[in-house]
Amino acid sequence: MTLPIHVALIGYGMAGKVFHAPLIQAVPGLHLVTIQSSQPAKVRADWPEVWVSATFEEVISPLIDLVVIATPNPTHFELARRALEAGKHVVVDKPFTLNAHQARTLAELAEAQGRVLSVFQNRRWDGDFLTLRKIVEAGTLGEVVYFESHFDRYRPEVQNRWREQAGPGSGIWYDLGPHLADQALLLFGWPEAIFADIGMQRQGAQAPDYFHVLLRYSRLRVVLHASALVPGGSPRFVIHGTQGSLVQYGLDTQEKALKEGLRPGAPGWKPEGSEAWLYRPEQAPEPVFVEAGDYRRYYEGVRDAIRGQGPNPVTPEQAVRLMELLDAAHKSALERREVALEGQV
């Protein structure tokens, strides 16, 4: 019998509570042993069978195989470094680090230690993205020449939480940008150049709450957009090719279900698909079946990678490349110009 992989989760804010803890417990072969949190009562109310750790030293005990880091962005690098040096496999919530230099340092350390290092890019397993990716890879749209990806919200009031306060790694580009940029790189590879407009639009904003980023390829143009001041009306994806277009509306509902306290695979767990339409020249629009997403597939991949039974679902190389793109966008926004990107993936 294959022994379970013992997991420690650091952080029990929104990411740890809503995503990581339920997904880890829903994957056979993973066993959530401990959660390090400054809110032990909150953890015990949700997971009475899980030990609450008070210190990092408890997290890296010999019992633990995998450390999952779901803490504020500025802490990712140091916690991941210490966990890797302790010989643990590591999952880091997005964004991986604060910059590409930190990302490369961790990737090199993981290789030297012979440990699995992965970044939680759950939106790769959104049903709408899985559907879109299959359509693109099947060539249904012909050569893709334009892609627009929106992750808009309506949150007009600035909240008192670290993501919306001034500081390294805060703001919408480091929150939603990693999702949209990661999906774009999976679909189309490394662009030739980037232009980014990142700003603050809400009254009293202290961190960016808006971005509009253009990735330039040879013929293809990719637009990544997010705002906190969109009451409604924006499609999630718009993609145009030489033989057709695809338009998708609505977000994958797995996050909504998780926030409501539903657990993957439990009774009542039936996230709904979004709406999608395929347009072909001189034909009536066709509704497209949007498959169900499944964030558990990420942790199934991590499990298999640790056991040597499959590839890392999000490799350090991919994570470093994404951080290079996030850095380039930040540079573009500061200098208000297009930034050329060198090298190919």
Side-chain angles (χ1 to χ4, degrees):
M1 180 180 296
T2 303
L3 294 175
I5 294 168
H6 293 156
V7 184
L9 171 61
I10 305 178
Y12 202 67
M14 196 279 281
K17 174 182 173 67
V18 173
F19 291 101
H20 293 282
L23 293 173
I24 292 166
Q25 288 291 66
V27 172
L30 297 183
H31 175 50
L32 183 58
V33 175
T34 184
I35 298 175
Q36 183 186 349
S37 173
S38 60
Q39 305 177 79
K42 181 179 173 183
V43 175
R44 293 189 182 103
D46 294 339
W47 306 98
E49 73 280 13
V50 172
W51 173 257
V52 181
S53 294
T55 67
F56 182 80
E57 285 66 33
E58 292 180 40
V59 166
I60 58 171
S61 75
L63 175 65
I64 299 300
D65 305 302
L66 169 65
V67 173
V68 176
I69 298 167
T71 53
N73 298 345
T75 67
H76 287 184
F77 172 75
E78 184 63 17
L79 289 173
R81 181 188 66 79
R82 292 174 66 189
L84 287 168
E85 288 178 344
K88 308 304 179 184
H89 304 287
V90 175
V91 164
V92 184
D93 197 70
K94 61 79 199 166
F96 184 20
T97 54
L98 293 182
N99 54 60
H101 173 71
Q102 290 182 343
R104 285 190 287 270
T105 299
L106 291 180
E108 291 168 1
L109 179 57
E111 183 175 7
Q113 293 286 93
R115 300 291 90 181
V116 171
L117 172 63
S118 190
V119 178
F120 184 65
Q121 289 288 358
N122 59 301
R123 295 286 171 183
R124 293 187 182 190
W125 291 273
D126 275 351
D128 50 16
F129 180 71
L130 292 171
T131 302
L132 179 148
R133 188 177 183 183
K134 285 183 179 179
I135 289 174
V136 169
E137 292 177 349
T140 304
L141 306 178
E143 180 188 354
V144 175
V145 295
Y146 181 81
F147 175 62
E148 190 166 337
S149 177
H150 277 250
F151 205 133
D152 295 321
R153 295 165 167 170
Y154 186 60
R155 296 180 177 177
E157 301 296 328
V158 178
Q159 302 297 311
N160 184 25
R161 57 183 194 141
W162 68 264
R163 292 183 189 275
E164 299 187 46
Q165 306 303 310
S170 63
I172 199 169
W173 178 239
Y174 288 99
D175 183 15
L176 302 181
H179 290 313
L180 273 60
D182 180 68
Q183 290 176 337
L185 292 179
L186 279 179
L187 287 171
F188 307 115
W190 192 246
E192 297 176 0
I194 185 170
F195 178 82
D197 180 17
I198 303 173
M200 294 180 282
Q201 295 187 323
R202 294 178 297 175
Q203 188 70 32
Q206 299 180 44
D209 54 17
Y210 164 92
F211 67 76
H212 189 87
V213 175
L214 173 67
L215 305 181
R216 180 168 60 79
Y217 297 75
S218 178
R219 282 165 49 110
L220 168 68
R221 297 295 182 268
V222 171
V223 172
L224 311 177
H225 183 99
S227 171
L229 283 177
V230 180
S234 297
R236 174 69 179 91
F237 295 123
V238 176
I239 185 165
H240 301 304
T242 55
Q243 298 175 22
S245 300
L246 180 71
V247 180
Q248 292 186 298
Y249 297 91
L251 289 172
D252 184 285
T253 58
Q254 290 179 85
E255 179 176 346
K256 179 176 181 290
L258 288 165
K259 284 182 174 178
E260 291 173 352
L262 297 176
R263 296 187 180 181
W269 177 260
K270 293 182 180 179
E272 300 174 357
S274 55
E275 178 185 353
W277 292 88
L278 178 64
Y279 298 84
R280 303 175 192 265
E282 300 180 1
Q283 296 185 33
E286 304 172 36
V288 174
F289 172 75
V290 178
E291 65 178 272
D294 192 348
Y295 296 158
R296 289 172 294 183
R297 289 169 57 184
Y298 171 78
Y299 271 110
E300 290 169 354
V302 170
R303 175 201 62 199
D304 293 347
I306 290 173
R307 290 177 173 174
Q309 299 173 346
N312 187 336
V314 181
T315 67
E317 293 77 16
Q318 291 174 326
V320 168
R321 207 55 163 162
L322 177 58
M323 289 311 307
E324 291 175 345
L325 193 70
L326 297 184
D327 284 357
H330 185 64
K331 176 181 176 67
S332 171
L334 285 176
E335 299 180 0
R336 299 187 178 183
R337 67 177 181 89
E338 181 179 273
V339 172
L341 299 172
E342 299 180 357
Q344 298 295 321
V345 175

